Amino acid sequence: MWGIIGTWEMVLEGLREGGQKLEESSHVFDAIESTVKTVEANELFTSVGLGGLPNEACELELDAAFMDGKTLSIGAVASIKGFLHPVSIARSLMDGPFNNFLVGEGAEKYALAQGFEQQEMVTETAKEKWLLHKEEVKKGLSPYLGHDTVCVVGLDKQHNMATCTSTSGLFYKKAGRVGDTPISGSGYYVDERIGGAAATGLGEDIMKGCVSFNIVQKMKDMSPQAACTEAVKELTELLIDRRTKAGDISVIAMNSDGDYGAATNIDVFPFAVMTEKVGLKLLTVNDKGEIKECLC
Ligand code: ASP
């Protein structure tokens, strides 16, 4: 059995490649990394990697993480500038007992020393968008409208499971702002004896409930779909109860049998899945838990 699941429509092409790798018996690390790298390298996807959404100072600060479901090793980077594939830097940080999560300048020095090449990551289109957004913000528009993370959970034929994430975070965020994406338990979590989960949406709210860890624990006793639905409902209700409103929260999960689930508190959340059982599918889930298949 093998399978891979990822967030948003932007993941589709990379997920197809990652799924093919799994079918050909690749290790799950290689399959999920290649999926996310495809998204990071595509400048048409404006919330991840090249051409991502710049911060208030028109700099592109990226967050990414990688987690191994066998050893529970984690590698992560946050607020890193000038590298095309933060997910690969995160993967390389999983080795060793210390220094697994690096931020800013420290992360950049590490990446250079490891041979990752630096490049300009703010595209002309992103600059134009930023200038336009700056004017809109002056007129009163919320600066933080615009964000999405690519998150992937995978299971290979050898029963290894892993997850990884990558994002530019909130559009026009303060320099140094970090969301849930590189934070284990919140943006992602995987234990291959149970399964893996990952989240996208408003990091500030996702971090208040460690939603990915919660989903994985729930999957001990229930299906990935039930676990996702319950976890999103619980966190949304908790936030509304304590703070009167909840930010956007969308999640995906896969268990160690290759069964999957997704849930959201927004109108429609697209996600893609490819497994030995169901093939490649682009799906949507809405805030009522209804899942629909799209053509792909
Ligand atoms: N969770 C990401 C962050 O807060 C953004 C997103 O997934 O939409 O940085």
Side-chain angles (χ1 to χ4, degrees):
M1 173 53 56
W2 56 267
I4 184 165
I5 184 166
T7 53
W8 306 110
E9 205 172 334
M10 65 179 156
V11 81
L12 188 62
E13 188 195 328
L15 192 120
R16 188 197 306 266
E17 293 159 11
Q20 275 160 3
K21 283 185 192 292
L22 290 172
E23 196 169 24
E24 290 156 11
S25 304
S26 286
H27 191 276
V28 66
F29 288 179
D30 297 329
I32 63 171
E33 181 186 4
S34 92
T35 298
V36 169
K37 280 175 80 172
T38 299
V39 184
E40 287 177 336
N42 189 333
E43 64 177 272
L44 296 178
F45 302 139
T46 55
S47 58
V48 174
L50 186 66
L53 298 165
N55 67 11
E56 208 181 44
C58 203
E59 300 163 328
L60 185 61
E61 294 188 325
L62 301 171
D63 303 334
F66 216 101
M67 182 168 183
D68 174 9
K70 184 183 299 302
T71 60
L72 308 182
S73 291
I74 285 161
V77 289
S79 294
I80 189 168
K81 289 190 284 222
F83 291 90
L84 183 60
H85 292 305
V87 72
S88 303
I89 305 169
R91 177 178 173 178
S92 77
L93 281 163
M94 283 198 301
D95 308 330
F98 307 112
N99 303 308
N100 302 121
F101 188 169
L102 301 180
V103 305
E105 220 179 292
E108 289 155 19
K109 279 190 185 149
Y110 163 84
L112 273 180
Q114 293 298 307
F116 291 98
E117 271 175 39
Q118 255 178 328
Q119 70 170 73
E120 180 53 62
M121 293 290 288
V122 183
T123 59
E124 285 311 310
T125 315
K127 270 184 212 159
E128 282 164 24
K129 251 189 165 171
W130 179 86
L131 278 170
L132 218 71
H133 196 63
K134 195 175 166 188
E135 293 312 310
E136 287 168 349
V137 170
K138 271 191 205 152
K139 287 183 204 145
L141 185 87
S142 163
Y144 310 121
L145 297 174
H147 50 86
D148 280 344
T149 299
V150 61
C151 307
V152 178
V153 179
L155 161 73
D156 70 22
K157 283 185 179 170
Q158 292 74 42
H159 312 289
N160 302 302
M161 289 198 80
T163 178
C164 61
T165 59
S166 183
T167 192
S168 53
L170 302 187
F171 195 7
Y172 220 72
K173 64 189 178 185
K174 296 277 178 216
R177 178 265 182 193
V178 177
D180 59 307
T181 302
I183 311 287
S184 77
S186 289
Y188 62 95
Y189 196 80
V190 60
D191 175 341
E192 70 184 24
R193 295 185 186 172
I194 310 166
T200 172
L202 183 65
E204 281 74 0
D205 275 1
I206 292 169
M207 287 190 282
K208 294 182 176 86
C210 298
V211 71
S212 296
F213 183 76
N214 193 16
I215 293 168
V216 173
Q217 298 315 303
K218 283 180 186 299
M219 285 196 290
K220 284 178 185 166
D221 305 313
M222 59 182 85
S223 69
Q225 186 53 51
C228 287
T229 305
E230 271 204 13
V232 170
K233 186 170 178 283
E234 275 170 19
L235 182 52
T236 304
E237 285 175 0
L238 179 71
L239 292 166
I240 291 171
D241 183 38
R242 302 286 185 89
R243 309 171 57 80
T244 70
K245 60 179 186 180
D248 296 357
I249 303 167
S250 301
V251 299
I252 51 167
M254 180 167 282
N255 68 13
S256 52
D257 294 324
D259 296 323
Y260 63 88
T264 189
N265 66 1
I266 63 173
D267 290 345
V268 182
F269 166 55
F271 65 100
V273 66
M274 187 168 169
T275 75
E276 198 176 333
K277 281 186 209 163
V278 303
L280 178 67
K281 282 178 193 282
L282 179 63
L283 301 160
T284 60
V285 61
N286 66 15
D287 55 358
K288 291 171 196 68
E290 293 159 347
I291 295 186
K292 278 197 190 137
E293 195 169 338
C294 313
L295 294 175
C296 67

